[in-house]
Amino acid sequence: MARPEQVLLLEPQHELKFRGPFSDVVTTNLKLSNPTDRNVCFKVKTTAPRRYCVRPNSGIIDAGTSINVSVMLQPFDYDPNEKSKHKFMVQSMLAPPDMTDMEGVWKEAKPEELMDSKLRCVFEMPTENEKTHDMESNKMMSSSSLKSESSLPVKSMSSTLDDGEVKKIMEECKRLQMEAQRLREENKQIKEDDGLRMRKSNIMSPQHPSVAMKKEEGMSARTVALIVLFFVMGVIVGKLVL
């Protein structure tokens, strides 16, 4: 029994084109559209699963909606003499109304319920002129985007600030300048006061040794007087005892 015709609309329909250089990942998109009034389950398969990364590689497309599938070709050494034999297949089936387990539905599906479409892979390597043109266009796009981004803040600033706000900003700047001047004067006055106190302490510091010497002299005189007094008292006590 022949399989039913594919209900999904594929874009592109027959070929997946990958444009080099292939020293980095090359991505192409596959659009799957569901024009029916029922949900459709789908799977994307390839004959070279190690060479491609497909996201998403399976799922459900609701009625009347579409989905974009990213097919990422992994880096490889391109040989222009070698023709690509890689192929992709989009398999689909109508989703049951009471579906809860999609994997179980795929396992239990009958062959006459499955629909598929096949696409072949085509590798294209740009010529030197195309490479130069692509590089120049990329530079122009990047420079134009940088210019537009740099001009945006200036335009937005001038459009959002009116005369009243500009006046407020100028007054705030003036107030901050006056506050900074006041702080500088206070700092200067504090430094002058510290210098005056240092000079006073330097003037008073030579007097301290003489005061200390006088105190030491007084203490030594009192000590000698006490010793003499004790000596005299000892002599008197000794005479009385004898």
Side-chain angles (χ1 to χ4, degrees), residues 65-128:
T65 62
S66 61
I67 188 172
N68 285 321
V69 177
S70 296
V71 183
M72 291 162 276
L73 173 64
Q74 303 304 303
F76 73 103
D77 294 329
Y78 174 70
D79 184 359
N81 298 321
E82 182 182 353
K83 292 184 178 181
S84 174
K85 297 180 181 179
H86 301 166
K87 290 182 175 63
F88 275 82
M89 182 176 69
V90 178
Q91 198 171 45
S92 64
M93 67 175 176
L94 297 175
D98 55 348
M99 184 186 69
T100 56
D101 182 13
M102 188 170 65
E103 289 300 323
V105 171
W106 280 109
K107 290 178 181 179
E108 297 174 1
K110 299 176 182 179
E112 59 269 19
E113 295 175 342
L114 300 177
M115 299 165 281
D116 59 60
S117 299
K118 295 180 181 178
L119 303 94
R120 68 186 188 95
C121 298
V122 177
F123 299 152
E124 296 179 347
M125 181 63 76
T127 62
E128 292 299 326

Side-chain angles (χ1 to χ4, degrees), residues 12-209:
Q13 295 181 353
H14 306 293
E15 293 180 346
L16 288 177
K17 293 184 179 181
F18 298 89
R19 188 174 178 83
F22 302 103
S23 56
D24 201 353
V25 176
V26 180
T27 303
T28 188
N29 292 319
L30 172 63
K31 184 178 180 180
L32 305 178
S33 301
N34 178 12
T36 69
D37 56 356
R38 291 183 58 179
N39 296 345
V40 176
C41 303
F42 77 93
K43 278 186 176 182
V44 181
K45 299 180 180 180
T46 178
T47 56
R50 294 185 179 180
R51 299 285 295 275
Y52 298 90
C53 181
V54 182
R55 292 291 182 273
N57 58 5
S58 63
I60 300 175
I61 305 176
D62 294 336
T65 62
S66 61
I67 188 172
N68 285 321
V69 177
S70 296
V71 183
M72 291 162 276
L73 173 64
Q74 303 304 303
F76 73 103
D77 294 329
Y78 174 70
D79 184 359
N81 298 321
E82 182 182 353
K83 292 184 178 181
S84 174
K85 297 180 181 179
H86 301 166
K87 290 182 175 63
F88 275 82
M89 182 176 69
V90 178
Q91 198 171 45
S92 64
M93 67 175 176
L94 297 175
D98 55 348
M99 184 186 69
T100 56
D101 182 13
M102 188 170 65
E103 289 300 323
V105 171
W106 280 109
K107 290 178 181 179
E108 297 174 1
K110 299 176 182 179
E112 59 269 19
E113 295 175 342
L114 300 177
M115 299 165 281
D116 59 60
S117 299
K118 295 180 181 178
L119 303 94
R120 68 186 188 95
C121 298
V122 177
F123 299 152
E124 296 179 347
M125 181 63 76
T127 62
E128 292 299 326
N129 292 334
E130 290 175 334
K131 286 181 183 179
T132 306
H133 180 267
D134 291 341
M135 291 176 64
E136 290 178 354
S137 62
N138 290 335
K139 287 181 180 179
M140 290 176 64
M141 289 177 64
S142 61
S143 62
S144 62
S145 63
L146 287 173
K147 287 180 181 179
S148 61
E149 288 176 1
S150 61
S151 62
L152 277 176
V154 177
K155 290 181 180 178
S156 61
M157 192 66 130
S158 60
S159 61
T160 53
L161 290 179
D162 55 14
D163 294 338
E165 291 177 345
V166 172
K167 187 177 180 181
K168 288 181 181 179
I169 292 173
M170 295 297 292
E171 291 176 354
E172 182 67 17
C173 291
K174 187 176 181 180
R175 188 187 66 81
L176 291 174
Q177 289 176 355
M178 293 176 65
E179 183 70 15
Q181 181 65 26
R182 185 183 64 82
L183 291 174
R184 283 196 293 268
E185 291 177 356
E186 289 183 358
N187 189 28
K188 183 179 179 181
Q189 185 65 35
I190 290 171
K191 287 182 179 179
E192 291 178 355
D193 293 343
D194 289 342
L196 183 60
R197 280 195 293 271
M198 289 290 292
R199 287 194 295 271
K200 286 183 179 179
S201 62
N202 291 333
I203 293 172
M204 294 176 65
S205 59
Q207 296 179 0
H208 294 166

